[in-house]
Amino acid sequence: MAGNTFGTLFRVTTFGESHGKALGCVVDGCPPGLSLSEEYIQAELDKRRPGKSHLETQRKEKDRVQILSGVFEGLTTGHPIALIIFNEDVQSKAYEPLKDVFRPGHADFTYFMKYGIRDYRGGGRASGRETVARVAAGAIAKRILEEYKIQVIGYTLSLGGIKAQNIDLEEIEKNPLFCPDKSVVPEMVELIEKTRKEGDSIGGVVEVVAKGVPAGLGEPVFDKLSADLAKALCSIPAVKGFEIGAGFKAAELKGSQNNDPISSSGFLKNDAGGMLGGISTGQDLVVRIAVKPIPSIAKPQKTVNTKGEEVEIIVGGRHDVSAIPRIVPVATAMVRIVLADHLLRQLAYLAFRARIPFPDFFKKD
Amino acid sequence: MAGNTFGTLFRVTTFGESHGKALGCVVDGCPPGLSLSEEYIQAELDKRRPGKSHLETQRKEKDRVQILSGVFEGLTTGHPIALIIFNEDVQSKAYEPLKDVFRPGHADFTYFMKYGIRDYRGGGRASGRETVARVAAGAIAKRILEEYKIQVIGYTLSLGGIKAQNIDLEEIEKNPLFCPDKSVVPEMVELIEKTRKEGDSIGGVVEVVAKGVPAGLGEPVFDKLSADLAKALCSIPAVKGFEIGAGFKAAELKGSQNNDPISSSGFLKNDAGGMLGGISTGQDLVVRIAVKPIPSIAKPQKTVNTKGEEVEIIVGGRHDVSAIPRIVPVATAMVRIVLADHLLRQLAYLAFRARIPFPDFFKKD
Amino acid sequence: MAGNTFGTLFRVTTFGESHGKALGCVVDGCPPGLSLSEEYIQAELDKRRPGKSHLETQRKEKDRVQILSGVFEGLTTGHPIALIIFNEDVQSKAYEPLKDVFRPGHADFTYFMKYGIRDYRGGGRASGRETVARVAAGAIAKRILEEYKIQVIGYTLSLGGIKAQNIDLEEIEKNPLFCPDKSVVPEMVELIEKTRKEGDSIGGVVEVVAKGVPAGLGEPVFDKLSADLAKALCSIPAVKGFEIGAGFKAAELKGSQNNDPISSSGFLKNDAGGMLGGISTGQDLVVRIAVKPIPSIAKPQKTVNTKGEEVEIIVGGRHDVSAIPRIVPVATAMVRIVLADHLLRQLAYLAFRARIPFPDFFKKD
Amino acid sequence: MAGNTFGTLFRVTTFGESHGKALGCVVDGCPPGLSLSEEYIQAELDKRRPGKSHLETQRKEKDRVQILSGVFEGLTTGHPIALIIFNEDVQSKAYEPLKDVFRPGHADFTYFMKYGIRDYRGGGRASGRETVARVAAGAIAKRILEEYKIQVIGYTLSLGGIKAQNIDLEEIEKNPLFCPDKSVVPEMVELIEKTRKEGDSIGGVVEVVAKGVPAGLGEPVFDKLSADLAKALCSIPAVKGFEIGAGFKAAELKGSQNNDPISSSGFLKNDAGGMLGGISTGQDLVVRIAVKPIPSIAKPQKTVNTKGEEVEIIVGGRHDVSAIPRIVPVATAMVRIVLADHLLRQLAYLAFRARIPFPDFFKKD
């Protein structure tokens, strides 16, 4: 219980179900005095909005965010910022046939075992739709990082086995798949359409890079920057793997190959992915996640109902063929949330080291 | 700051540096009434003890654990259990030549940037030696899990590219590499010896399996069981990747391949690695970590000193060639710590659902 | 930063300003399967609603609560319950003259020093209005406690120096002052009206009693039940003191007077206020808070503006003469929140001690 | 469970029982680069050491503290500082007759109900001896506060009804009762001796003042500075009440009396006790606690044993007549711990507001 809050100084609490009244979050710990508007947050939400291209679920959600608190005259006040997105296009009816059936690959069974009851409407809180609140919170983290010129960029590294070969960050926003290699986009689109026709689904790999991260973020031992990124990213639905820098490939290298030599102008390569001992080196942060194919498929599958009886199901409803590309802004948001938190944590240290003075107000005699 | 505590109801805080006076931990939240002895904890520590075979560092540490609190007449009292291991074979002299040099692949540079000062003695808190406290804490978690017949087993899945092919859990404790496939052990041993002669190092992959985990552990959204395992395991020094079940392979499967069908007697396969929606399914939990080659190598490397001047170093000292096998009991311990915490968290729910009564003491009139 | 969350297993996060769009909370950790309706929560809110009698501020707020998540078909799901109350009768204009002035006794100055900016509209987050979200959250805690027959009752023990002499819990809901002694109510009402005419304000003492609390709640050392109650109650605006049982009077007693003797049918008195060593004894929990006179008064006061210039102000607007009686349901709510959290924490222990089994789903062969 | 940790950025975890092997703490979050020695910490411990005057328990403990980690070459490293104090003069035998009896006013009964087992040796973790670890941790907090010239001073305000009239901070360290009014010390000493002869005990009131606290410490709503002080102080054994500034007296004042007017050179009085809206004003922080008479008395008392049978007991052993004066350094330590935590929390904000730069290491081309 009580597992819906993340962070120490920059702290995000989310709420809401796929087919409930609303989704949202409370972001606690945003420093005061930052400009923040609904439009700014909306721009991030629009990147993961459903139904924005023919490649995605046809659920039509405007996903209009409202700021309920924590902003006054266009500036953050230092108080909790509550954000809300009302659900509109809720078609719970589609889920009634599934009411008593555990969809394979979904959390239906585990939620039932955990809670003893079932919110059958589209996965409830286990739905990918939960992530809309993360993206909203991530927009506030982005606003904080901007002040320190830290830039976080996510993209599709591979989709259903098709890999981006040349990473060109300029390309990412130019295609609906957030793919940094335009040469493979047509092939990816084709695979999505083919897979949809087959009633199947595909997964992929998303990479997130953070530029301008200062050296020194992350706490040793448990709250390593790398460990908090692992938790943040593995808490996204459908994620089954996580890598930093060379990742699993590092397991097959020798130390002499894997170590990044250092020169007087910086590290000579970045197999470490921007972290050593769990603390940022000042190089680009590079992390990756493995995204499983989404479990809702239109093919017949063997399963059981809540009575334990074997049944066959075909999952209808309006589903994406892949969590990619919509998971890209979610992963980006989570990395931003972790960085904003660790930035503030390290600032406390730096401020103490510099013994920065507290402001005075009254005249001293 | 303050990043050395892990867990919610079962909470571990560690302390101590590689070349300091002692290492240890405080384990808070262990239920009362469990038998616990120093011998029981020692048995776990002995698995990661240095110098126990010729394949490992020749630092000789008996690593004798003492229980300082929380146990009375052989039983846990419900109070914090402090465990301490005094350092004995400390040879800090060996590190003096490295005093002002950042060893590539080590946390020397990042700690210096974070803290502004340097404990050059063998990595201080960034040393693998820090993990001795985790193993001690993990022994207490093991004691809790035993009561629910949950068994956690870690092993070497691959070493320097050599992979275990047939997983036989009975073999693990029979060889010094914790390898479940005895047929590849000679090859692995040979590789270690060859690599040591070359003054180089190697990495590998460790897998941890948990058997008997009940369905329903883990909290949705941020404190997913999967996410907490990711954090716990990625907080271990040298870990660069994490996988659940099919892991990165899932990114290349179709939904119809990846989904685990369900029959009336259970799941028909386990590509999910025992978790759906971040909550345990009741199947075996299966997670894996990528371990990088340890960065201390006897080959010349380019680096800089604390003044930013370029220098070449050869790292001496008494080092392992690989974090494997000694990281195996560490990973096992971290999985146990996560499971003990989530077991207790879920028990709070189950107890409420059952409305279990509180004990009465006084006679009612 | 990030100080708007309270609790461990039952966790409350609040948001919203006095003159913002909305106030609300996210309650995380409520067990599943409990009936919960907006009407149930509304009944608690109505107790602190402004403008319900002529003794209170004439701000007219219906304070209609909406459940946004966490409840499905009338039952809690185990997921975060978001509650929202939109502000309606917002007259920020009245505060414009005070825009640059620090009202004595208010948080205007301290917020300015903390955040460097000012939300002058009615105190923003420092307003008593913030507590509406606590009462809403407390209603959910009440629902949990009902299942264990724990009853929490708050009342006015004294107002502006007039003390309730005979405590009759039946009287509390029968008068608008939540006073358990009807004989002093007319005198209290008279004092309120006299004080309003004088443009002044008064404080008082509120007592909260919890009945049916099982023995064993609370954690030793820092998270004592008494310590968590102290924090919860002292976090309410205007609270300047806190007592348990005999409280400050205990400081003048001898041990032989203060100790509560025990017989085979229970404790023979309750000077301890239901807690020993910070853990509940099974007797009634008895705590008290000192409430200062509300600082908004219509008399001229010396103060300074944001430039540090001395000015005289008369605080207009629609203010209560006393935080009592409206603080009574707030204090009651906070005690319930603490008890719900510690109930769940202790249930985890009890469940483990009983080794209660996890539910099975699949047929064993 | 897991209730032995306190703080957010400056975090203290304690362990150890009255008659166990050792007591101690892990202090996580101390900034690096501060000079810290065992002597410095010892000086604080010596203030609460038992047996240092004939007014106190004759248990002879040298209470020698050892630093186990987190300090290198005399400076803090930023890593957890583990402190340990071995128990020496342990005479558990004295407690054997009490093995099955619940001492009135003690935590014996509540611990038994919570844990189901009993550590009868001198109260175990409920003993006042637990507080030795708090004082050790508080010494580290003191070291941090010194850097910002924040001074925390505790003293005996009243003892067994005898009140200090004239507060002279210079007197405090000059008498064994930490009493700021030397004129009442002989009367207090006489009362202690008389009470000891009677086999009884007495309580009192302790006041703690913090000077030099900058304005702006504390978080609104739950983590108010006042609320965290309330929790910290009410977590000390024997504390039954807590006050800020005017405290319970404020409940009887009018707003026009209680409000502190402000002039261009500061507040004109300090009834608020240095906090408004839970945030520090920059004036002296003033808090008070009510300390109950210690429950161990040599008079016969009615109680029950673990079987529920009525028995009479006379508590032997070596007990203080009052928790005062030894609780004074404990209360002082707890206030320091809270202030160090909130200082660091606010520094994170200030650093962000100032956009203080992160240190660079490498030459920019």
Side-chain angles (χ1 to χ4, degrees):
Chain A
M1 38 184 76
N4 297 272
T5 296
F6 187 84
T8 297
L9 288 187
F10 182 78
R11 206 181 280 165
V12 174
T13 301
T14 69
F15 65 87
E17 297 91 34
S18 174
H19 288 62
K21 239 184 194 171
L23 298 119
C25 61
V26 181
V27 176
D28 196 5
C30 180
L34 292 177
S35 65
L36 188 72
S37 67
E38 292 178 349
E39 290 65 39
Y40 182 87
I41 302 167
Q42 192 65 47
E44 295 303 310
L45 286 175
D46 287 348
K47 292 179 188 166
R48 80 159 285 295
R49 188 160 45 85
K52 70 179 191 301
S53 102
H54 67 288
L55 298 172
E56 291 151 24
T57 168
Q58 292 311 300
R59 178 166 174 176
K60 294 272 184 332
E61 287 286 358
K62 274 185 255 146
D63 279 355
R64 291 299 314 172
V65 69
Q66 289 180 52
I67 300 175
L68 296 178
S69 66
V71 176
F72 178 52
E73 298 181 338
L75 297 177
T76 60
T77 60
H79 295 294
I81 303 170
L83 303 177
I84 195 167
I85 297 113
F86 283 97
N87 281 323
E88 295 179 352
D89 184 19
V90 175
Q91 301 185 5
S92 306
K93 279 263 156 82
Y95 292 91
E96 296 225 343
L98 302 174
K99 204 170 162 165
D100 301 317
V101 180
F102 301 128
R103 293 167 300 165
H106 275 282
D108 297 350
F109 174 71
T110 54
Y111 272 50
F112 182 74
M113 293 305 284
K114 179 168 200 72
Y115 297 113
I117 61 166
R118 218 184 139 192
D119 176 357
Y120 57 83
R121 304 161 305 162
R125 187 105 177 110
S127 165
R129 186 145 179 76
E130 168 261 315
T131 61
V132 73
R134 302 178 186 229
V135 174
I140 298 175
K142 183 185 181 189
R143 205 42 214 87
I144 292 170
L145 298 177
E146 280 174 353
E147 298 297 309
Y148 273 90
K149 303 204 185 339
I150 300 168
Q151 208 191 342
V152 182
I153 307 148
Y155 45 84
T156 301
L157 198 65
S158 79
L159 180 70
I162 304 166
K163 290 185 175 59
Q165 304 295 336
N166 301 303
I167 309 298
D168 178 353
L169 302 182
E170 301 298 313
E171 286 300 320
I172 296 166
E173 304 261 344
K174 292 184 187 160
N175 66 78
L177 292 176
F178 299 123
C179 181
D181 181 351
K182 72 176 168 187
S183 73
V184 299
V185 173
E187 201 186 341
M188 285 177 170
V189 169
E190 200 179 343
L191 179 62
I192 289 176
E193 280 165 358
K194 177 169 162 285
T195 308
R196 175 177 294 118
K197 274 178 211 142
E198 293 169 5
D200 217 328
S201 66
I202 48 177
V205 175
V206 169
E207 188 162 271
V208 184
V209 172
K211 293 174 169 296
V213 177
L217 301 197
E219 302 298 327
V221 185
F222 298 123
D223 294 358
K224 286 185 162 81
L225 183 59
S226 48
D228 278 349
L229 286 167
K231 172 162 179 169
L233 289 168
C234 292
S235 77
I236 301 172
V239 173
K240 303 301 279 186
F242 168 78
E243 288 188 320
I244 303 160
F248 274 86
K249 220 164 26 184
E252 310 204 351
L253 296 176
K254 295 192 177 274
S256 56
Q257 299 167 307
N258 186 61
N259 285 352
D260 300 325
I262 320 177
S263 80
S264 62
S265 51
F267 290 86
L268 294 173
K269 61 184 185 70
N270 187 17
D271 273 344
M275 290 174 275
L276 284 172
I279 297 173
S280 62
T281 60
Q283 288 195 283
D284 284 359
L285 228 74
V286 183
V287 292
R288 266 180 308 284
I289 50 174
V291 181
K292 73 173 186 179
I294 63 166
S296 292
I297 56 173
K299 293 190 160 179
Q301 296 181 85
K302 284 189 183 171
T303 188
V304 295
N305 61 21
T306 53
K307 289 180 199 146
E309 299 159 344
E310 301 191 345
V311 292
E312 198 177 81
I313 57 156
I314 293 175
V315 181
R318 300 162 295 173
H319 304 294
D320 286 325
V321 162
S322 179
I324 291 174
R326 292 178 57 215
I327 205 173
V328 173
V330 179
T332 309
M334 291 309 296
V335 171
R336 284 178 179 143
I337 287 168
V338 171
L339 285 173
D341 192 27
H342 278 283
L343 181 84
L344 293 171
R345 290 170 83 165
Q346 180 64 4
L347 281 176
Y349 259 131
L350 288 185
F352 187 85
R353 268 166 63 181
R355 306 291 191 273
I356 64 167
F358 280 79
D360 261 332
F361 185 82
F362 295 112
K363 287 169 269 181
K364 289 271 148 80
D365 300 322
Chain B
M1 36 184 78
N4 296 275
T5 296
F6 188 85
T8 297
L9 288 187
F10 182 78
R11 208 182 278 167
V12 174
T13 301
T14 70
F15 64 87
E17 297 90 34
S18 174
H19 287 62
K21 236 182 196 174
L23 297 119
C25 60
V26 182
V27 176
D28 195 6
C30 179
L34 292 177
S35 64
L36 187 73
S37 66
E38 291 178 350
E39 291 65 38
Y40 182 86
I41 301 166
Q42 193 63 48
E44 295 303 310
L45 286 176
D46 286 348
K47 292 179 188 165
R48 79 160 284 296
R49 189 160 44 85
K52 68 180 192 299
S53 102
H54 66 289
L55 299 172
E56 291 150 26
T57 167
Q58 292 312 299
R59 178 167 172 172
K60 295 272 184 330
E61 288 286 359
K62 274 186 254 143
D63 279 354
R64 291 301 312 173
V65 70
Q66 289 181 51
I67 298 175
L68 296 179
S69 66
V71 176
F72 179 53
E73 298 180 341
L75 297 177
T76 60
T77 60
H79 294 294
I81 303 169
L83 303 177
I84 194 167
I85 297 113
F86 284 97
N87 281 324
E88 297 180 351
D89 184 19
V90 174
Q91 302 185 3
S92 306
K93 279 261 158 83
Y95 291 92
E96 296 225 343
L98 302 174
K99 204 169 163 166
D100 300 315
V101 180
F102 301 128
R103 293 168 298 165
H106 275 282
D108 298 348
F109 175 72
T110 54
Y111 272 50
F112 183 73
M113 292 305 285
K114 179 170 199 72
Y115 297 115
I117 60 167
R118 221 184 135 192
D119 176 355
Y120 58 84
R121 304 161 303 164
R125 188 103 176 111
S127 164
R129 185 142 180 78
E130 168 262 315
T131 60
V132 72
R134 302 179 186 229
V135 173
I140 299 175
K142 183 184 182 189
R143 207 37 217 89
I144 293 171
L145 298 176
E146 280 173 354
E147 297 298 308
Y148 273 89
K149 303 201 185 342
I150 299 168
Q151 210 192 341
V152 181
I153 307 148
Y155 46 83
T156 301
L157 197 64
S158 79
L159 179 71
I162 304 166
K163 291 187 174 56
Q165 305 294 337
N166 301 302
I167 309 298
D168 179 353
L169 302 182
E170 302 299 313
E171 286 300 321
I172 296 167
E173 306 260 346
K174 293 186 188 157
N175 66 80
L177 294 175
F178 299 124
C179 181
D181 180 351
K182 72 174 168 188
S183 73
V184 298
V185 172
E187 200 186 341
M188 286 177 169
V189 169
E190 199 178 344
L191 180 61
I192 288 175
E193 282 166 357
K194 177 169 162 288
T195 308
R196 173 177 296 119
K197 275 178 210 144
E198 294 169 4
D200 216 329
S201 66
I202 48 176
V205 175
V206 170
E207 188 162 270
V208 183
V209 171
K211 294 176 167 297
V213 177
L217 302 197
E219 300 298 326
V221 186
F222 297 123
D223 293 358
K224 286 183 161 82
L225 183 58
S226 47
D228 278 349
L229 287 167
K231 172 163 180 167
L233 290 167
C234 291
S235 77
I236 301 172
V239 173
K240 303 300 280 185
F242 168 78
E243 289 187 320
I244 304 159
F248 274 85
K249 217 161 34 183
E252 309 202 354
L253 298 175
K254 292 186 180 282
S256 56
Q257 298 167 308
N258 186 62
N259 286 349
D260 299 326
I262 319 176
S263 80
S264 61
S265 52
F267 290 84
L268 295 173
K269 63 186 184 66
N270 187 17
D271 274 342
M275 290 174 275
L276 284 172
I279 298 171
S280 62
T281 61
Q283 286 194 284
D284 284 359
L285 227 71
V286 183
V287 291
R288 263 180 311 282
I289 50 173
V291 180
K292 73 172 185 180
I294 62 163
S296 292
I297 56 173
K299 294 192 160 180
Q301 297 182 84
K302 285 188 185 174
T303 188
V304 294
N305 62 20
T306 53
K307 291 179 196 147
E309 298 159 343
E310 301 192 344
V311 293
E312 199 178 79
I313 57 158
I314 292 176
V315 182
R318 301 160 296 173
H319 304 292
D320 286 326
V321 162
S322 178
I324 291 172
R326 294 178 55 216
I327 205 173
V328 172
V330 180
T332 310
M334 290 309 297
V335 170
R336 283 176 180 144
I337 288 169
V338 171
L339 285 172
D341 192 28
H342 278 284
L343 181 84
L344 293 172
R345 289 170 84 165
Q346 180 64 4
L347 281 176
Y349 258 131
L350 288 185
F352 187 86
R353 267 165 64 179
R355 306 289 190 273
I356 65 167
F358 280 79
D360 261 331
F361 185 82
F362 296 111
K363 289 169 265 179
K364 288 274 149 71
D365 300 321
Chain C
M1 38 185 76
N4 296 274
T5 295
F6 188 85
T8 298
L9 286 187
F10 182 77
R11 205 181 283 169
V12 174
T13 301
T14 70
F15 64 87
E17 298 91 33
S18 175
H19 288 62
K21 237 182 194 173
L23 297 118
C25 60
V26 181
V27 177
D28 195 7
C30 180
L34 292 176
S35 64
L36 187 72
S37 66
E38 291 177 351
E39 291 65 40
Y40 182 87
I41 301 167
Q42 192 64 47
E44 294 304 309
L45 286 176
D46 287 348
K47 291 179 189 166
R48 81 159 285 292
R49 188 159 46 84
K52 69 180 191 300
S53 104
H54 66 290
L55 298 172
E56 291 152 25
T57 168
Q58 293 311 299
R59 177 168 174 173
K60 296 273 184 328
E61 288 287 357
K62 275 185 253 141
D63 279 354
R64 293 299 313 175
V65 70
Q66 288 180 50
I67 299 174
L68 296 179
S69 66
V71 176
F72 178 52
E73 296 180 341
L75 298 176
T76 60
T77 59
H79 295 293
I81 303 171
L83 302 176
I84 194 167
I85 298 111
F86 283 97
N87 281 324
E88 294 179 351
D89 185 18
V90 174
Q91 301 183 6
S92 305
K93 279 262 155 84
Y95 290 92
E96 295 224 344
L98 302 173
K99 201 170 163 167
D100 299 317
V101 180
F102 300 128
R103 294 167 299 165
H106 274 283
D108 298 349
F109 175 71
T110 53
Y111 272 50
F112 183 74
M113 292 305 285
K114 181 170 197 71
Y115 298 115
I117 60 166
R118 216 179 141 198
D119 174 357
Y120 57 84
R121 303 160 306 161
R125 187 103 177 111
S127 165
R129 187 145 179 75
E130 168 262 315
T131 60
V132 70
R134 301 179 186 230
V135 174
I140 298 175
K142 183 184 182 190
R143 205 43 214 87
I144 292 171
L145 298 176
E146 280 174 354
E147 298 298 309
Y148 273 89
K149 301 204 187 337
I150 300 169
Q151 210 191 342
V152 181
I153 307 149
Y155 45 83
T156 302
L157 198 65
S158 81
L159 180 71
I162 305 166
K163 292 187 172 56
Q165 305 295 338
N166 301 303
I167 309 299
D168 179 353
L169 301 182
E170 302 298 313
E171 286 300 321
I172 296 166
E173 304 260 346
K174 292 184 186 158
N175 66 78
L177 294 174
F178 299 123
C179 181
D181 180 351
K182 72 175 167 187
S183 72
V184 299
V185 171
E187 201 184 339
M188 285 177 170
V189 169
E190 201 178 341
L191 180 62
I192 288 176
E193 281 166 356
K194 178 169 161 287
T195 308
R196 174 177 296 118
K197 276 179 210 139
E198 293 168 5
D200 217 329
S201 67
I202 48 176
V205 175
V206 170
E207 188 162 271
V208 183
V209 171
K211 293 174 169 294
V213 177
L217 302 197
E219 300 300 325
V221 188
F222 298 123
D223 293 357
K224 285 185 161 82
L225 184 58
S226 48
D228 277 349
L229 287 167
K231 172 162 181 167
L233 289 168
C234 292
S235 77
I236 301 173
V239 172
K240 303 300 280 187
F242 168 77
E243 290 188 319
I244 303 160
F248 274 85
K249 222 165 23 187
E252 309 202 354
L253 298 174
K254 292 190 180 279
S256 56
Q257 298 166 308
N258 185 62
N259 284 350
D260 300 325
I262 319 177
S263 80
S264 63
S265 52
F267 290 85
L268 295 172
K269 62 186 184 66
N270 187 17
D271 274 343
M275 289 174 276
L276 284 172
I279 297 172
S280 62
T281 61
Q283 287 193 284
D284 284 359
L285 227 72
V286 183
V287 291
R288 263 179 311 283
I289 50 173
V291 181
K292 74 172 185 179
I294 63 164
S296 293
I297 57 173
K299 293 192 160 180
Q301 296 183 85
K302 284 189 185 170
T303 190
V304 294
N305 62 21
T306 51
K307 291 179 197 147
E309 299 160 343
E310 301 192 344
V311 293
E312 199 177 81
I313 58 156
I314 295 177
V315 181
R318 300 160 297 173
H319 303 292
D320 287 326
V321 162
S322 178
I324 290 172
R326 293 177 57 214
I327 205 174
V328 172
V330 180
T332 311
M334 289 310 296
V335 171
R336 284 176 180 145
I337 288 168
V338 172
L339 285 172
D341 192 28
H342 278 284
L343 181 83
L344 293 172
R345 288 169 85 166
Q346 180 63 6
L347 281 175
Y349 259 132
L350 289 184
F352 187 86
R353 267 166 64 181
R355 305 289 191 276
I356 65 167
F358 280 78
D360 260 333
F361 185 82
F362 296 111
K363 288 170 267 181
K364 291 271 150 76
D365 301 320
Chain D
M1 38 184 77
N4 296 276
T5 296
F6 188 83
T8 298
L9 287 187
F10 182 78
R11 207 181 279 166
V12 174
T13 301
T14 70
F15 64 87
E17 296 91 35
S18 175
H19 288 62
K21 239 184 195 171
L23 297 119
C25 60
V26 182
V27 176
D28 195 6
C30 179
L34 291 176
S35 65
L36 187 73
S37 66
E38 291 178 351
E39 292 65 39
Y40 182 87
I41 301 167
Q42 193 64 46
E44 295 303 310
L45 286 175
D46 287 347
K47 293 179 187 166
R48 81 159 284 295
R49 190 159 43 87
K52 70 180 188 301
S53 103
H54 67 288
L55 299 172
E56 292 150 23
T57 167
Q58 293 312 299
R59 177 166 175 174
K60 295 271 185 329
E61 286 287 357
K62 275 186 255 147
D63 279 355
R64 292 301 312 174
V65 69
Q66 289 180 50
I67 299 175
L68 296 178
S69 65
V71 176
F72 178 53
E73 298 180 340
L75 298 177
T76 60
T77 59
H79 294 293
I81 302 170
L83 303 177
I84 195 166
I85 297 113
F86 283 96
N87 281 323
E88 295 178 352
D89 185 19
V90 174
Q91 302 185 3
S92 307
K93 280 261 155 85
Y95 292 91
E96 294 225 344
L98 301 173
K99 203 170 161 165
D100 299 316
V101 180
F102 301 127
R103 293 167 300 164
H106 274 282
D108 298 348
F109 175 71
T110 54
Y111 272 51
F112 183 74
M113 293 304 284
K114 179 168 200 73
Y115 298 114
I117 62 167
R118 218 183 139 194
D119 175 356
Y120 57 83
R121 304 161 304 162
R125 188 105 177 109
S127 164
R129 186 146 179 75
E130 168 260 315
T131 62
V132 72
R134 301 179 186 231
V135 173
I140 298 175
K142 184 184 181 191
R143 205 42 215 86
I144 293 171
L145 298 177
E146 280 173 351
E147 298 297 308
Y148 273 89
K149 303 202 186 334
I150 299 168
Q151 209 191 343
V152 181
I153 307 148
Y155 46 83
T156 301
L157 198 65
S158 80
L159 179 70
I162 304 166
K163 291 185 173 57
Q165 304 294 337
N166 301 302
I167 309 298
D168 179 353
L169 302 182
E170 303 298 313
E171 287 298 324
I172 297 168
E173 304 262 345
K174 294 186 185 157
N175 66 79
L177 293 175
F178 298 122
C179 181
D181 180 351
K182 71 175 168 187
S183 72
V184 299
V185 171
E187 201 184 339
M188 285 178 170
V189 169
E190 201 179 341
L191 180 61
I192 288 176
E193 281 165 358
K194 178 170 162 287
T195 308
R196 174 177 296 120
K197 276 178 209 140
E198 293 168 5
D200 217 330
S201 66
I202 48 175
V205 175
V206 170
E207 189 162 88
V208 183
V209 172
K211 293 174 169 296
V213 178
L217 302 197
E219 300 299 326
V221 185
F222 297 122
D223 293 358
K224 285 183 162 83
L225 183 58
S226 48
D228 278 349
L229 287 166
K231 172 161 180 167
L233 290 167
C234 292
S235 78
I236 301 171
V239 173
K240 303 300 279 187
F242 168 77
E243 287 188 321
I244 303 159
F248 274 86
K249 220 164 26 186
E252 309 203 353
L253 296 175
K254 293 191 180 279
S256 56
Q257 300 167 307
N258 185 62
N259 285 351
D260 300 326
I262 319 176
S263 80
S264 61
S265 52
F267 289 86
L268 294 173
K269 61 184 185 68
N270 187 16
D271 274 344
M275 289 174 275
L276 285 172
I279 297 172
S280 62
T281 61
Q283 288 194 283
D284 283 0
L285 227 72
V286 184
V287 292
R288 265 180 309 284
I289 51 173
V291 180
K292 73 172 187 180
I294 61 164
S296 291
I297 57 174
K299 295 191 159 180
Q301 297 182 83
K302 285 188 182 171
T303 189
V304 295
N305 60 21
T306 53
K307 290 180 196 145
E309 300 158 345
E310 301 191 345
V311 293
E312 199 177 78
I313 59 156
I314 292 175
V315 181
R318 302 160 296 173
H319 303 293
D320 287 324
V321 163
S322 179
I324 290 172
R326 293 179 56 216
I327 205 174
V328 173
V330 180
T332 309
M334 290 309 296
V335 171
R336 284 177 181 144
I337 288 168
V338 171
L339 285 173
D341 192 27
H342 277 284
L343 181 84
L344 293 172
R345 289 169 84 165
Q346 181 64 5
L347 281 176
Y349 259 132
L350 289 184
F352 187 85
R353 268 165 64 181
R355 306 288 191 277
I356 64 166
F358 280 79
D360 260 332
F361 186 82
F362 295 111
K363 288 170 267 182
K364 290 272 150 73
D365 301 322

